[in-house]
Amino acid sequence: CVCVCVCGMDERKYNLKLEKLSFPKNGADPVILVACGSFSPVTILHLEMMQWAKEALEEKGYCVLGGYMSPVNDGYGKASLVPAHHRVAMCMLAAQSYSWITLDDWECTQPEHQLTLPVLQFFQERVSQIGDDRCRARVLFLCGSDLFDTFVIPGVWEIGDVKEILQRGVVVIERAGSNNVTETMAKLPQLRGDERPYVVHTVPPHRSNNISSTVVRKALREGKPVQGQLSEAVLSYILQHGLYEAKASF
């Protein structure tokens, strides 16, 4: 494990979970996927999107060493958030069936809400200090095209943050109801000639991907079936702890 700290953030020692992080293959560009979000609750689609991204990148010649889910801090203040310890537990349960995906709780255990760019910077610094070949990996931000759309909505993101996130690298999973990724990219902040180019990988969905945590929460409240949307382990946890006013659906 590796311990690092970043100025302006919680300086407690933090152990990066490396158990599921593989080693790079010769000649391949090593990358690590990081998905930030509420995960309230984590759905099957959250994990499938990570799998689709991994497969698409590897077809392009990248070596995906692993992926991390990073639940947002409670300080985000979204009404639908259940406390972080529940979201962490659900993500851990959901990731159990994937050999390469890990839950990381650094973001959600900070004293206050963290913006996306500092989280990605923290991951990259931790990775760069791993004491073996895995330290060469670049951290890529994974998101759906619905979130990618918000990059061009005035007031939602700091322009400087958007530019750096895109320069570091983003993998966008296309989602129903979102704008075309190419159209959104045309509206992104313009780069000067001396600036690093944007790195955006667009990945089409492998199946209908209209599953959302919002839809799942509504179904849980109404006692409707959620098979194919939540793993059995996550659903059992929700019912056991009485989250989302859930009524047993099976």
Side-chain angles (χ1 to χ4, degrees):
C1 292
V2 58
C3 301
V4 302
C5 65
V6 176
C7 294
M9 298 182 183
D10 188 349
E11 295 186 355
R12 68 185 175 89
K13 289 185 177 180
Y14 191 88
N15 294 324
L16 179 66
K17 301 175 181 66
L18 303 179
E19 291 81 4
K20 292 187 177 183
L21 208 61
S22 63
F23 286 85
K25 299 176 182 177
N26 291 335
D29 188 6
V31 296
I32 294 171
L33 297 174
V34 172
C36 301
S38 298
F39 299 110
S40 188
V42 58
T43 69
I44 286 176
L45 182 61
H46 285 125
L47 283 297
E48 288 183 339
M49 286 172 61
M50 297 186 75
Q51 185 66 40
W52 299 340
K54 180 177 186 291
E55 293 170 3
L57 288 171
E58 289 177 343
E59 287 179 2
K60 292 182 178 181
Y62 292 90
C63 180
V64 179
L65 307 188
Y68 291 91
M69 289 186 289
S70 181
V72 73
N73 190 282
D74 286 344
Y76 183 54
K78 193 174 180 180
S80 58
L81 285 182
V82 296
H85 68 276
H86 286 309
R87 292 181 287 118
V88 164
M90 289 187 285
C91 286
M92 290 179 68
L93 290 169
Q96 283 180 348
S97 57
Y98 287 80
S99 63
W100 64 281
I101 299 176
T102 303
L103 174 282
D104 188 276
D105 66 353
W106 179 84
E107 178 182 357
C108 65
T109 56
Q110 293 306 292
E112 58 187 10
H113 170 56
Q114 300 293 318
L115 298 178
T116 301
L117 178 57
V119 173
L120 297 174
Q121 291 171 328
F122 189 74
F123 267 100
Q124 188 65 71
E125 181 160 347
R126 283 186 292 170
V127 169
S128 69
Q129 295 186 24
I130 299 174
D132 53 48
D133 284 349
R134 291 174 292 185
C135 71
R136 297 187 292 108
R138 290 186 296 117
V139 170
L140 302 181
F141 179 48
L142 172 65
C143 67
S145 57
D146 49 343
L147 186 148
F148 190 74
D149 285 349
T150 68
F151 280 167
V152 297
I153 298 176
V156 176
W157 296 78
E158 293 287 341
I159 292 178
D161 284 12
V162 169
K163 292 175 71 172
E164 183 165 346
I165 289 170
L166 292 168
Q167 288 169 325
R168 287 172 173 268
V170 178
V171 185
V172 185
I173 309 295
E174 296 177 328
R175 298 201 63 180
S178 301
N179 294 327
N180 180 279
V181 173
T182 303
E183 294 176 0
T184 301
M185 287 185 64
K187 303 175 185 177
L188 291 170
Q190 296 298 306
L191 291 169
R192 300 190 308 271
D194 61 341
E195 292 183 297
R196 289 176 296 154
Y198 293 150
V199 180
V200 179
H201 303 277
T202 304
V203 180
H206 290 201
R207 67 176 179 89
S208 174
N209 63 350
N210 57 357
I211 299 171
S212 72
S213 296
T214 301
V215 171
V216 168
R217 289 193 301 270
K218 184 175 185 294
L220 289 168
R221 286 195 303 270
E222 297 174 354
K224 295 180 178 179
V226 289
Q227 291 96 328
Q229 300 178 76
L230 296 179
S231 70
E232 291 188 14
V234 170
L235 178 58
S236 295
Y237 184 93
I238 289 170
L239 295 174
Q240 177 185 351
H241 294 274
L243 305 180
Y244 309 114
E245 303 176 17
K247 299 178 178 64
S249 56
F250 64 86

